[in-house]
Amino acid sequence: MMEAGGRMLRVATWRLDAPSDHPPILFFNGIGANIEAVAPLAEQLPERGFVMFDMPGTGESPDPTVPYNPFTMSWTAKQILEQLEIDEIDVMGVSWGGAMAQHFALQYPKTTRRLVLVATTAGMLMVPGNPAALTKMANPRRYIDPNFMNEHFQTLYGGIDRDGAEHQKDSHIGRLKPPSPRGYFYQLLAMLGWTSLPALPFLGKETLVMMGDEDQIVPLINGRILASAIPNAQLEVFRGGGHLFLLTHADEAVASLRKFLDAPATEAELARAA
């Protein structure tokens, strides 16, 4: 547990003390999701440090006492990094966390090296997904009732299991811990009226946009919008990938992530950083 921005938050770190040629990854999770939901990703990139934290009212972080927004939560994340003595970070976010990642990179460009956006949008100016999936997405029962999650998994997330490991779905469901009602509501409230679209042309970071072409919650067109609005972005589409392609296409996704983050800095990138 760490205190940052006037909040007590549960923070997880991996390998920050280990020698590495790469900056750590600051990871922003999806709405209502706890650290354990994405912990396997940190294990699949052993050459890098990782920093994640449970949003207020999610996982084991206490309930929020007052609402927050992307600006205040980015400031809170920056305070966590300062306490961990991290000056430079690669920023990554999935779904709701992808919006947070965009805002953090815009708010703290000197701290952000590269940006990875997974199954996410530019905020309120998005192309909505399948209504049946969105209705179930807004229901916290998907975290509380494993049977509900299992029954509606395909409707919620779409896609196929490229890695052919059906047990991964059960493993994922088993790692979820339900957020508190207030925590879930405040996460929904935080993005009300928020959009990054007007600011994206000024986002001078190398950016990888990763999307699944069968995502029922965030249609592929949203990734195309992000990639076209960010000057230095590249779009990678995972065929047969739903909203959880990081799980179902894990090997392919990790290889793509590693290739992007490990690529040498271009002269243009170094000039922008300077």
Side-chain angles (χ1 to χ4, degrees):
M1 304 297 290
M2 292 179 63
E3 185 176 355
R7 305 176 188 275
M8 189 65 69
L9 297 170
R10 179 197 184 210
V11 180
T13 66
W14 284 258
R15 299 175 294 272
L16 294 185
D17 295 331
S20 177
D21 295 328
H22 313 286
I25 293 175
L26 171 64
F27 191 94
F28 290 101
N29 221 330
I31 188 167
N34 49 301
I35 289 168
E36 287 81 0
V38 191
L41 177 66
E43 301 298 337
Q44 289 174 299
L45 291 163
E47 73 277 13
R48 293 180 177 274
F50 259 78
V51 179
M52 301 184 200
F53 61 94
D54 285 335
M55 286 290 167
T58 299
E60 295 182 19
S61 287
D63 265 2
T65 54
V66 295
Y68 55 87
N69 57 41
F71 179 87
T72 56
M73 195 49 67
S74 292
W75 173 66
T76 300
K78 182 66 163 60
Q79 288 198 322
I80 290 174
L81 296 179
E82 288 176 356
Q83 290 184 49
L84 296 172
E85 299 182 344
I86 298 174
D87 298 323
E88 184 182 53
I89 204 93
D90 285 326
V91 182
M92 181 176 181
V94 59
S95 194
W96 184 95
M100 279 298 310
Q102 293 169 63
H103 194 101
F104 184 93
L106 288 163
Q107 189 167 330
Y108 296 107
K110 292 184 179 180
T111 304
T112 305
R113 188 186 73 110
R114 292 183 179 177
L115 179 63
V116 180
L117 305 175
V118 181
T120 193
T121 76
M124 62 176 285
L125 298 179
M126 67 171 287
V127 178
N130 183 339
L134 294 175
T135 300
K136 293 178 175 62
M137 178 78 173
N139 189 344
R141 187 182 169 195
R142 65 193 178 102
Y143 290 108
I144 300 169
D145 185 351
N147 292 329
F148 177 88
M149 180 70 153
N150 189 65
E151 179 183 354
H152 299 290
F153 195 88
Q154 187 65 26
T155 302
L156 269 167
Y157 299 115
I160 59 174
D161 195 339
R162 177 70 62 84
D163 291 348
E166 179 65 21
H167 67 279
Q168 288 185 353
K169 180 179 74 171
D170 298 331
S171 176
H172 175 72
I173 294 173
R175 289 194 300 270
L176 296 177
K177 180 178 180 179
S180 72
R182 183 191 297 179
Y184 197 78
F185 175 70
Y186 278 17
Q187 272 197 277
L188 289 171
L189 188 64
M191 293 299 173
L192 190 63
W194 179 90
T195 181
S196 60
L197 202 55
L200 291 182
F202 305 100
L203 181 55
K205 300 296 175 183
E206 298 294 317
T207 303
L208 174 63
V209 181
M210 305 169 75
M211 302 291 295
D213 65 353
E214 294 187 15
D215 193 331
Q216 299 297 299
I217 295 171
V218 181
L220 174 58
I221 183 63
N222 292 286
R224 298 194 189 281
I225 292 171
L226 288 172
S228 64
I230 300 172
N232 309 295
Q234 54 184 283
L235 173 65
E236 181 146 2
V237 180
F238 293 82
R239 301 301 173 187
H243 199 59
L244 291 185
F245 65 82
L246 281 182
L247 172 71
T248 60
H249 297 52
D251 293 342
E252 187 180 348
V254 168
S256 174
L257 183 60
R258 184 175 277 123
K259 178 181 178 182
F260 170 73
L261 293 178
D262 289 355
T266 65
E267 291 186 8
E269 184 178 6
L270 292 173
R272 288 194 301 271

